[in-house]
Amino acid sequence: MCGIYGYIKASSEKKALETCLDGLQKLQYRGYDSAGVAAIHNGSILSFKTVGKVDLLTSLVKESPKELSAAIAHTRWATHGRVSSANTHPQIDYKESLALVHNGIIENYLEVKKRLESKGVTFSSETDTEVCANLISYYYDGDMLSALTRAFADINGSFAIVLMHKDFPETIYASARGCPLAIGICEISGDVYISSDSSSFSESSYSTYFLQDNEIAKVDGKTLTIYDDQAKEKKISLSPLTITENETLKDGYEHFMLKEIHEQKGLIERILHKRKKQNSFYYRELEDDKDLLNQVQHIEIIACGSSYHAGLIAKEFLEQETRIPVSVHLGSQYRYAKHLDKANTLAIIISQSGETADTLAALESRKEHFLLTIALCNVENSTLTRKADRFIPLMAKKEVSVCSTKAFTAQLLNLYLLGIHLANALGASCEKFTKELLSLPLCIESVYSKEKEIASFAKEYSSFPYFFFVGRGQMYPVCLEAALKLKEISYLPAEALPAGEMKHGPIALIDEKLATIAFLTKGEIAAKTISNLSEIRARNGRILTFGGNNHEVTKDQITFETDSLETFLTIPYSIAGQIFSYYLAKELDREIDFPRNLAKSVTVE
Ligand code: F6R
């Protein structure tokens, strides 16, 4: 993970270190264990580092020299080495001649480290990044390009690297392999920005280049030169990019997560409105694919975390409406699995960030086997949207809280609507769903109206050390998502179970210390779940139910006005789960928007 930033001033009034700090603020979603910034001043390296968030760096940097025009910076999510000042980037080499920031993992770093140590090179951190800095420094004899190509040939793994050397105080070198790195030249000032994510450039228009694997970029003043892995200059073309900054504010909410939970009704209205066509739903992005869609024989959904759960929930609907078998895969598993070569497979890749390494690698590993790849993604210009054949925007707008809420809901709703588009393209009618879908916003309103009640139960349940989330049918993957939310932000263990599976083992865990949260639907399936809940009750487990009217298994019940829903109950119930987790974590005084050990964009395997 980690966020990398670099900046070289051409004609603006900006200060290099401060500009980098502004950039880092926007990259903190990639990790917030520690942060640092470096530049070359009076022929030596000047660096500032801090454990914790970027805000803490700002006061250190205030005292810095003002005339600096180039700098590099980093916000870290620890992979190799503890969260400590020594392990914070920029890492400085043993000769104190270069500063380097890195995103990714150098897989053979121990082997390279040993080799360098045997030559007398010394190390002062536990990071794979320092190995890289020392290796480049070891090879450097006045020719940086040669040192870089030799060093990169020695290392395995993935990386985006940006560095400055004291011999060239106004030059930045960068390279990438399997990690994103964008370089933008501001069309007005000529200032150059380098970042893990182009959306973190300042507000302006840019000529932009996204580094390809193994390329090396040299940014010298406002001149950008790209070399291949043999240091041979390459011709490249730049693409235009306009950044309009919409500052994301909490708008009076205590946390972004709560704000984002409350944005879901509007988001659902927006998506339904955008995709509605006559009495059904339609994706203009797939307008030219009718023939291809008619050939589809299999659908594979690939994603991680909450995005994977959205796929699991939508699977049955997609299969039922398209009559095409659907399999849902975790990106991290898919890449290394053995696959049957299935003809005419449509791949749907789901990712909020579009930068999840496991998801991207899974797509890359099988791309040539797919008939068509569709990215469902929230970030335009992400690596995923560039790699997939088609891009369907989630329209969730920026999601700040690390814990996904509105992006998950946008994924799920888009998957349902995409199912309708595919079914229509195959000649089936899905008009029967239109009324139900259009009633969603009102049902979400009904969930919001129970916020206080949910919050009060969350407070009561916050003293439990362990949670089960149980449901049947479509409610089981909803439980997977609800349990993940609780784990992420409350740090409490939570397990999702299909209600019918309790008796096959997990019921052994039930006692008065275990809390069960159940999602009840309607009819026979609800009755079956209630029977399972009675078994928990009989063993003194406390139970809270969402939905499902008129049952006597527990007094702790929250119901919603969702009579118009059947197939899409998954959406309001997921939102109710988010609210429950939010208030429980709040009661435990957790750092809700930036939970420990996590990052919003998971760019390592
Ligand atoms: C959970 C959460 C994560 C992400 C996962 C995939 O709240 O946010 O589980 O869903 O890391 O991330 P994306 O969707 O960006 O690929």
Side-chain angles (χ1 to χ4, degrees), residues 304-307 350-354 356 359 402-404 411 481 484-485 488 600 602:
C304 296
S306 294
S307 305
I350 316 171
S351 175
Q352 188 287 129
S353 62
T356 301
T359 305
V402 164
C403 175
S404 186
Q411 290 164 344
E481 175 59 8
L484 177 66
K485 292 288 87 111
E488 261 187 290
K600 184 95 189 126
V602 185

Side-chain angles (χ1 to χ4, degrees), residues 249-267:
L249 300 170
K250 286 190 195 145
D251 291 345
Y253 288 97
E254 190 175 346
H255 295 99
F256 281 110
M257 182 176 172
L258 190 60
K259 178 190 169 209
E260 288 161 1
I261 286 172
H262 279 272
E263 282 171 351
Q264 295 180 100
K265 177 178 170 243
L267 157 77

